[in-house]
Every structure is written in C-alpha cells, then in structure tokens.
Amino acid sequence: MPTEPAVRPGSAPGQSARPAASVPLPPLRPTPEPPAGDGSAGRGYAASTSAGPTYAGQPPFSPDPSLSWSAGAPMAPGGALGAQRPVVSFGEPEGYDAQARPRPLGMRIRPRVAGAAACVVLGLGLIGGALTGSWLIGDSGEAGAQDTFAAAGSLWHSVPVDKLFPPTVIGQGAGPGGADRTWTRVAVAPDTGCANAFDPLLRKALAPAGCQRLLRATYIDATQSYVTTVGLLFTKADAAAMRALDTQFAKEGLDRRSDLMPRPYAAKGTLAAGFGDEQRASWTVSVLTDAPVVVYAVSGWADDRTVDEPAPAEEAMQSGATTDVAQAGLGHEAQGLADRVERALRKNVSPSTEQSS
C-alpha cells in the first residue's frame, strides 16, 4: 500500500505536497513580476499576506509556531496563538546565484565606511572654519612667533636676575640614573660683553650672531663636590640667523669640540674661586631657534682639580661611559643645570613681559 505523502506545513487542508525525495524544491526566489495594472508592478517580491510570504510555484507559507519565539506562549481559545508575544518570521535573503536578482551597486554603504566619511567631512569642516576665523581676525602663527622671539631678546634688562638664575634650582631626575639634583647659586657675574667668556674658536663661531649681552652665574651642588657655570648669551641675530647658526653647530659638531668650550665664572671668596680653564670637565652649548639666545654650561670639581680630557655632556651622559668625568656625573651637572635655566628663560616670555618691553 503506497504511503501518503507528507503534508507541507501551511498548505490547505486536504491538499498534499509533492514527495520531497522525488522532486526537489524550487529555489527560494522572488516571484516573477506581475502583469502591469494589478498595482504591484515593479515589486521584486510578492506581496505578503496574513499567511506569510509566497514563493514561486509554492502555496502560501505559515511559520511553525514551535520554531518561533512565541512557542512557549499559551494558546488562545480555538487553537490560535496567544497575544502575549508576536509571531516572528524572517524574510528570505537576497541571493547571488544565476537566477537571483543581484544587489544594485551603490545601494548600501558599510557602516565603517560611512562613519569614516562622516569623520573626514567633519574634520575638514573644523579645519576650514578655523582657517576662515584666522583670516577674518588677521591672526597669524608666524606673527606670534616673531613677537615671542623679540620679547625673549629683551629679557636681559626687563627680568630680575633671580628669575633667570634662581638662587636654588631643583633638578628632579637630572642626575645619573634619574637621581635628583639641587644646585645653589654662589655667584652672579655682572652683565658684560663676550670678549673673555669663550675660547677663541668658540667666540669666532658665535660671531655671526653678534653679542648683545652675556649673563652668567655659578652654582654648586648639594654635596659641594661640583661647580657649574651657566650662561645666557643674548645675540643680535634674527630668527633666520639663529636657525643658520644652529644648523652649523649641528652639522660641524661645534658643540662637542674641546677647543670650543665656554669658560667658567670663578668668583673670588666663593667655593668656585678656583674654577678656571684647567678645571673644566664637561660642557654643553645649545643654540635656540625660537629666541636670540645661546644657553651654555660648563662643570668641574669643586676641589680645583685639573682635567686632562674633558668630555661634552652628551658623551659623558651615555650609558656605559667609564671616564672619570662620566662616572662623577659631571655631564649631568652641566646638562641638567642648563636645561633648568633654559626653562626659566621660557617661563619669563609672557604677554606681560612683551608689554613691558
């Protein structure tokens, strides 16, 4: 006796479906376009009914309640699903086979691409607004830099000496291995010219920038083992000349030559009274490009010992250096104090300073 074929869910009562084993189901795809005039022309999918979406060649399909989110809901009288949870069914996705309609190009944009495009547009708008505002108010970064450059060049006569050379300088992490340093000022030289402050070759190298004023002070460390002279050379050069001088020092290594060292300031009656040319151990020279200033420092032992082979601070501070100058940390003394004095110089370039000058 032949077996009765199974009934497809959602088919009308008494209507049997084709055996699944003998006839394969047609692919799920949109039904052909309905003829014009029925109100649905141009739709790729057949209109949905209360029984669910329809597919080509198949009767209307109703979702199986046991597979929906409302499977656990109580049944209403008469066998209908209760109204506590809605019946949820998923539409058939668009295919990409030979018989399916391909997705038109340009119809969908990935969220990441859309977000990136929005950020680019927003960024360009902000930049454009900032530039427009600058043009409207006549603001210029170059003009501001020129004002700051000019203000820095006048600090030698408009700022008290204690602002440029503080009586006590704290150098957190300025020593070897990140140790802290404290320096106490023992002498301040009167502001003079540059005739006797540098070795002849260094004076010749600095000559193109000119010498407007030279300020110097000598410090001693907290252990009274080392003395350091730090100086601020205020030049007559403009910004272009300072950049050219900095380039020359960098290319020719003038800041590392032992025959181009700055000289110390040895004040009589102080712990640095014996700090002369023969006691120089380490030094640093820095040409600033945003101010007409050359910052330098030179260090040595406080016991007046002579040094046969002085070393530039950059070399003496290198890890693994074994010379007496490096082991004593004299490179850190010169570089650390020069850095703090340069910071003090920059702090004094303010709107109030510009107005007073």
Side-chain angles (χ1 to χ4, degrees), residues 15 49 84 268 303 343 345:
Q15 180 181 359
T49 63
Q84 295 185 4
K268 296 180 180 180
D303 59 3
R343 294 177 191 176
L345 173 74

Side-chain angles (χ1 to χ4, degrees), residues 199 253-262 280 283 309-312:
D199 282 348
L254 302 182
D255 57 339
R256 297 188 298 274
R257 288 176 50 172
S258 60
D259 56 346
L260 280 81
M261 280 193 295
R280 292 177 294 183
W283 77 97
E309 297 183 3

Side-chain angles (χ1 to χ4, degrees), residues 16 34 102 120 153 167-168 209-212 243 246 263 268 290 293 340:
S16 60
V120 170
T168 301
C211 178
Q212 182 176 2
R243 288 193 296 268
D246 177 62
R263 289 175 174 172
K268 296 180 180 180
D290 56 351
V293 180
R340 271 64 186 180

Side-chain angles (χ1 to χ4, degrees), residues 14-32:
Q15 180 181 359
S16 60
R18 299 178 181 179
S22 59
V23 180
L25 293 175
L28 300 178
R29 64 180 183 275
T31 57

Side-chain angles (χ1 to χ4, degrees), residues 23-95:
V23 180
L25 293 175
L28 300 178
R29 64 180 183 275
T31 57
E33 295 289 341
D38 65 351
S40 61
R43 298 285 299 266
Y45 289 97
S48 299
T49 63
S50 59
T54 59
Y55 299 92
Q58 299 298 327
F61 175 76
S62 298
D64 187 350
S66 64
L67 300 180
S68 68
W69 291 343
S70 60
M75 300 293 288
L81 289 174
Q84 295 185 4
R85 296 183 182 177
V87 176
V88 179
S89 60
F90 299 95
E92 192 68 20
E94 292 184 358

Side-chain angles (χ1 to χ4, degrees), residues 152-182:
S154 65
L155 292 179
W156 65 271
H157 68 78
S158 62
V159 175
V161 65
D162 288 350
K163 294 285 188 178
L164 297 177
F165 300 120
T168 301
V169 177
I170 306 298
Q172 295 182 349
D180 296 338
R181 281 288 188 267
T182 301

Side-chain angles (χ1 to χ4, degrees), residues 6-244:
V7 178
R8 177 180 301 277
S11 58
Q15 180 181 359
S16 60
R18 299 178 181 179
S22 59
V23 180
L25 293 175
L28 300 178
R29 64 180 183 275
T31 57
E33 295 289 341
D38 65 351
S40 61
R43 298 285 299 266
Y45 289 97
S48 299
T49 63
S50 59
T54 59
Y55 299 92
Q58 299 298 327
F61 175 76
S62 298
D64 187 350
S66 64
L67 300 180
S68 68
W69 291 343
S70 60
M75 300 293 288
L81 289 174
Q84 295 185 4
R85 296 183 182 177
V87 176
V88 179
S89 60
F90 299 95
E92 192 68 20
E94 292 184 358
Y96 290 93
D97 57 5
Q99 298 177 349
R101 181 183 63 183
R103 179 182 293 118
L105 296 176
M107 292 297 294
R108 296 183 63 185
I109 302 177
R110 294 183 178 180
R112 291 184 179 179
V113 177
C119 291
V120 170
V121 173
L122 178 60
L124 291 176
L126 292 175
I127 294 174
L131 292 177
T132 303
S134 299
W135 293 333
L136 291 176
I137 64 176
D139 189 15
S140 173
E142 184 177 354
Q146 292 176 354
D147 293 341
T148 302
F149 188 93
S154 65
L155 292 179
W156 65 271
H157 68 78
S158 62
V159 175
V161 65
D162 288 350
K163 294 285 188 178
L164 297 177
F165 300 120
T168 301
V169 177
I170 306 298
Q172 295 182 349
D180 296 338
R181 281 288 188 267
T182 301
W183 299 281
T184 302
R185 192 183 68 196
V186 296
V188 176
D191 54 331
T192 60
C194 304
N196 299 317
F198 307 109
D199 282 348
L201 289 179
L202 179 57
R203 185 171 66 249
K204 182 179 180 180
L206 295 172
C211 178
Q212 182 176 2
R213 218 67 173 178
L214 176 63
L215 306 182
R216 294 176 293 171
T218 299
Y219 289 80
I220 192 166
D221 75 308
T223 65
Q224 298 187 356
S225 301
Y226 315 111
V227 287
T228 303
T229 293
V230 59
L232 296 172
L233 167 61
F234 289 84
T235 72
K236 300 177 181 180
D238 58 11
M242 293 301 293
R243 288 193 296 268

